[in-house]
Amino acid sequence: MTLTFATHAHSEVGLVRKNNQDSAFVAPNLVVVADGMGGAAAGDLASAIAVDEIATMDADLAVRLAGASDVRPETAPTNLPAGRPGDLLAVLADALVRTNVRLSEAVAVNPDAEGMGTTLCSIGLIDDAAVLVNIGDSRAYRLRDNVLTRLSRDHSWVQTLVDAGRITEEQALEHPHRSLIMRVLNGRPEHVPDLGIIDVRAGDRVLVCSDGLCGLVTDSQIAARVAASDREVAVASLVDLAHAAGGHDNITIIVADVVEGEPVGRTQVL
């Protein structure tokens, strides 16, 4: 059995910002959201570099997977699972290392870009398995039988407070330090992503989004909108939800249905 995505994606500046620092990548086997940060155009550049590395990897994925099966890249974590899902995680991890190298080089050329970085949240499919890569506070969710489950964990200060039971999810949305991110891609090797196999099967719907959505509304509010049967309607409804909450940030949303069969649809960079 081969799993593939049927997708609809949208990215916009929102209601307040003057430019869009989000980037995204959509393919039949891979969905990615990167939310850039930094002064001037640096956030744009950081997220664009991350998505460019992912797109380059995806275009050459078969070759890279073949190489990972024999000798995994030195940059791959040592605790990855065996088999094809682990190989895909190794290849994705290597793409993020390459992103960090390019970010470091960009700052060396242009010191004004110092401080730029980007989140990255991605779900990939390989054969009948699914993997998750996450760093930062963009998010991945799974909708199954009308129940929405968060698949990723935010690398943010407020998430540590929520985990400790000190604040609620609703309070996290209004916390004065809600924008403090603990781990991002910023050219420094000590910031490592979460990598793992996730439970996804045919009939599920996944949502990957920037915090222009999930940073403004609760998971229960998202669940009520993402369940719309038509993917395009679901995305439009989620954008409306973010706007109603103020639209303070860039909004990037990918809704993808997991289906069986040969890959369909086109690769898209947003």
Side-chain angles (χ1 to χ4, degrees):
M1 177 181 67
T2 300
L3 297 178
T4 188
F5 285 132
T7 62
H8 185 73
H10 174 82
S11 185
E12 65 167 64
V13 69
L15 302 180
V16 176
R17 299 288 180 88
K18 295 182 178 180
N19 66 329
N20 190 353
Q21 297 196 349
D22 290 357
S23 298
F25 179 79
V26 179
N29 64 314
L30 190 65
V31 289
V32 181
V33 168
D35 180 356
M37 60 203 72
D44 303 15
L45 178 61
S47 67
I49 286 173
V51 164
D52 181 65
E53 281 297 332
I54 293 290
T56 300
M57 177 219 74
D58 187 67
D60 196 30
L61 185 58
V63 173
R64 296 188 186 218
L65 284 172
S69 298
D70 299 324
V71 180
R72 290 187 177 182
E74 293 181 1
T75 54
T78 57
N79 61 343
L80 293 180
R84 297 258 292 171
D87 291 342
L88 178 56
L89 284 170
V91 172
L92 285 164
D94 187 58
L96 268 58
V97 169
R98 293 169 185 266
T99 296
N100 257 342
V101 170
R102 287 181 59 185
L103 291 174
S104 179
E105 291 172 346
V107 171
V109 172
N110 178 17
D112 289 341
E114 178 69 41
M116 73 172 175
T118 183
T119 72
L120 188 139
C121 189
S122 172
I123 297 177
L125 300 176
I126 185 163
D127 303 328
D128 61 350
V131 302
L132 173 71
V133 174
N134 179 60
I135 186 167
D137 66 346
S138 295
R139 282 192 197 159
Y141 296 87
R142 181 194 66 216
L143 182 72
R144 177 183 292 169
D145 299 328
N146 288 319
V147 176
L148 188 70
T149 301
R150 195 185 301 182
L151 300 175
S152 60
R153 180 185 179 276
D154 294 354
H155 299 136
S156 65
W157 174 245
V158 293
Q159 186 62 53
T160 64
L161 299 179
V162 172
D163 292 345
R166 296 173 59 184
I167 63 173
T168 65
E169 180 187 356
E170 290 78 7
Q171 290 171 329
L173 299 177
E174 302 296 332
H175 196 280
H177 300 306
R178 62 187 177 275
S179 60
L180 179 58
I181 312 300
M182 312 300 287
R183 276 195 268 168
V184 293
L185 297 173
N186 63 354
R188 298 174 184 172
E190 65 268 20
H191 290 187
V192 297
D194 293 336
L195 305 156
I197 298 175
I198 54 174
D199 175 21
V200 170
R201 60 179 183 241
D204 290 345
R205 170 171 288 180
V206 298
L207 164 68
V208 183
C209 63
S210 64
D211 70 337
L213 174 66
C214 58
L216 298 180
V217 298
T218 64
D219 288 2
S220 61
Q221 290 174 296
I222 291 172
R225 304 293 184 102
V226 76
S229 57
D230 184 281
R231 290 184 298 277
E232 188 170 354
V233 171
V235 170
S237 183
L238 290 168
V239 171
D240 289 344
L241 182 64
H243 286 175
H248 305 303
D249 204 349
N250 307 144
I251 305 164
T252 300
I253 298 169
I254 303 172
V255 170
D257 290 326
V258 183
V259 298
E260 295 180 14
E262 294 301 314
V264 295
R266 63 189 179 91
T267 298
Q268 183 182 8
V269 174
L270 291 84

